[in-house]
C-alpha cells in the first residue's frame, strides 16, 4: 500500500511571530514514525512583524513567512497556493503565534478575524472533501471560520480563547497536554500542545496522539 501523504501548513519560524518549532518537528517525526510522507507548505507573504525571541520585544526588519518556515524543514517547503489538496490524505496545522498573526488576524481582530486567502482556500478545500485535519495549540481558532458551527474541539483551558470558540457556535472541551479531542463527523482532531505543555516531552504526548488519530481517520 502506498504511504499516506499529509500536508503540513506552517506560519513562519519561532513561537512569538511564526510556527512553534518544537510542535513542527514533533509533528513531522510522528508522521515519519507512523509511516507517512509529508509536504510542508506556507503562504508566500510578509510576516506581520518580527519578534526578538531573546527579549520578547518587537524588532525592526521584515521577514517572509515561506522563507522563515523553510528554516525549520531544511528548505523542503512549497508555497501554500501550490498545495493540490487532492494529492493529500490529510492536513495538520501546528501552532505558534504565526497562526494568529500571519495565517489569520486573530491576534488583532479576535472574533472578526480574517484568514489569509491562500490559507482559507486550502483549508476550506480539505474540509469540503471531508479529509481529516489536525489543529494544535492556538491553531483551532481557525476552525470556526473553516467549518462553521458545532465543531467539537479543544484549546486547552485558556478562558478568553474558549469564550471565542463558544461565541462562534462551536463546542469546547477541556483537555490536558496529553489529550486530544476528536470530532468524528467533521474529521477534526485538536490538542493543546504548548497552550499547556511546559516541556517537549509533554507536547510530544498530545501531538503523537493527534497524528495517530488523523491517520486513522484518513
Amino acid at each position: 500500500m502506498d504511504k499516506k501523504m499529509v500536508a503540513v501548513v506552517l506560519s513562519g519560524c519561532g513561537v512569538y511571530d511564526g510556527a512553534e518549532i518544537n510542535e513542527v518537528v514533533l509533528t513531522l517525526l510522528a508522521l515519519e514514525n507512523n509511516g507517512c510522507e509529508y509536504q510542508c507548505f506556507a503562504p508566500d507573504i510578509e510576516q506581520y512583524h518580527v519578534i526578538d525571541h531573546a527579549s520578547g520585544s518587537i524588532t525592526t526588519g521584515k521577514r517572509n513567512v515561506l522563507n522563515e518556515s523553510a528554516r525549520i524543514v531544511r528548505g523542503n517547503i512549497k508555497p501554500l497556493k501550490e498545495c493540490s489538496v487532492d494529492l493529500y490524505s490529510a492536513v495538520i496545522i501546528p501552532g505558534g503565534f504565526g497562526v494568529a498573526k500571519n495565517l489569520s488576524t486573530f491576534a488583532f481582530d479576535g472574533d472578526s478575524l480574517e484568514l489569509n486567502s491562500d490559507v482559507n482556500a486550502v483549508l476550506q478545500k480539505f474540509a469540503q472533501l471531508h479529509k481529516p485535519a489536525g489543529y494544535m495549540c492556538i491553531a483551532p481558532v481557525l476552525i470556526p471560520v473553516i467549518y462553521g458551527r458545532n465543531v467539537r474541539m479543544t484549546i486547552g483551558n485558556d478562558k478568553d480563547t474558549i469564550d471565542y470558540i463558544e461565541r462562534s457556535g462551536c463546542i469546547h472541551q477541556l483537555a490536558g497536554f496529553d489529550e486530544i479531542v476528536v470530532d468524528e463527523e467533521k474529521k477534526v482532531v485538536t490538542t493543546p500542545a504548548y497552550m499547556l505543555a511546559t516541556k517537549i516531552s509533554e507536547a510530544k504526548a498530545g501531538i503523537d496522539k493527534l497524528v495517530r488519530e488523523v491517520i486513522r481517520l484518513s
Side-chain angles (χ1 to χ4, degrees):
M1 181 180 295
D2 292 338
K3 288 185 176 181
K4 292 179 178 178
M5 280 287 294
V6 176
V8 181
V9 179
L10 306 185
S11 58
C13 180
V15 59
Y16 300 127
D17 58 13
E20 211 299 319
I21 296 172
N22 290 337
E23 290 180 3
V24 176
V25 174
L26 290 169
T27 296
L28 303 185
L29 178 61
L31 286 168
E32 290 187 9
N33 285 342
N34 283 276
C36 291
E37 296 182 353
Y38 55 81
Q39 177 61 55
C40 293
F41 295 92
D44 187 3
I45 57 173
E46 186 178 306
Q47 66 184 50
Y48 178 77
H49 60 193
V50 180
I51 299 292
D52 180 334
H53 278 60
S55 67
S57 60
I58 298 173
T59 187
T60 58
K62 298 180 179 180
R63 297 188 184 184
N64 177 278
V65 173
L66 177 65
N67 294 342
E68 289 299 295
S69 299
R71 291 176 177 272
I72 308 177
V73 294
R74 301 172 63 89
N76 182 20
I77 198 161
K78 296 180 179 180
L80 183 58
K81 64 183 178 182
E82 295 181 9
C83 180
S84 298
V85 174
D86 292 340
L87 300 179
Y88 298 93
S89 300
V91 64
I92 296 177
I93 303 90
F97 278 107
V99 172
K101 295 177 178 179
N102 303 326
L103 302 190
S104 76
T105 63
F106 180 75
F108 319 108
D109 297 333
D111 290 33
S112 301
L113 79 160
E114 295 183 359
L115 272 56
N116 165 270
S117 58
D118 292 336
V119 172
N120 188 56
V122 169
L123 296 185
Q124 288 279 1
K125 188 68 178 296
F126 273 102
Q128 290 163 5
L129 294 178
H130 208 52
K131 294 191 175 189
Y135 291 76
M136 65 186 68
C137 191
I138 193 64
V141 299
L142 307 181
I143 291 173
V145 181
I146 300 299
Y147 293 88
R149 302 171 66 85
N150 299 317
V151 185
R152 185 175 299 276
M153 70 180 85
T154 190
I155 200 77
N157 62 10
D158 183 74
K159 183 181 184 304
D160 289 342
T161 314
I162 290 171
D163 288 346
Y164 153 72
I165 288 170
E166 293 181 341
R167 284 194 303 271
S168 73
C170 289
I171 305 159
H172 185 269
Q173 182 175 323
L174 294 175
F177 63 79
D178 58 344
E179 295 179 305
I180 60 174
V181 170
V182 183
D183 188 306
E184 294 276 355
E185 180 181 352
K186 300 290 188 181
K187 292 188 177 180
V188 173
V189 187
T190 51
T191 192
Y194 274 101
M195 290 294 285
L196 290 178
T198 59
K199 299 185 292 185
I200 295 174
S201 58
E202 291 181 350
K204 183 178 186 297
I207 291 171
D208 283 349
K209 289 179 180 178
L210 178 144
V211 169
R212 288 195 298 269
E213 187 64 15
V214 166
I215 293 169
R216 181 189 73 82
L217 290 170
S218 63

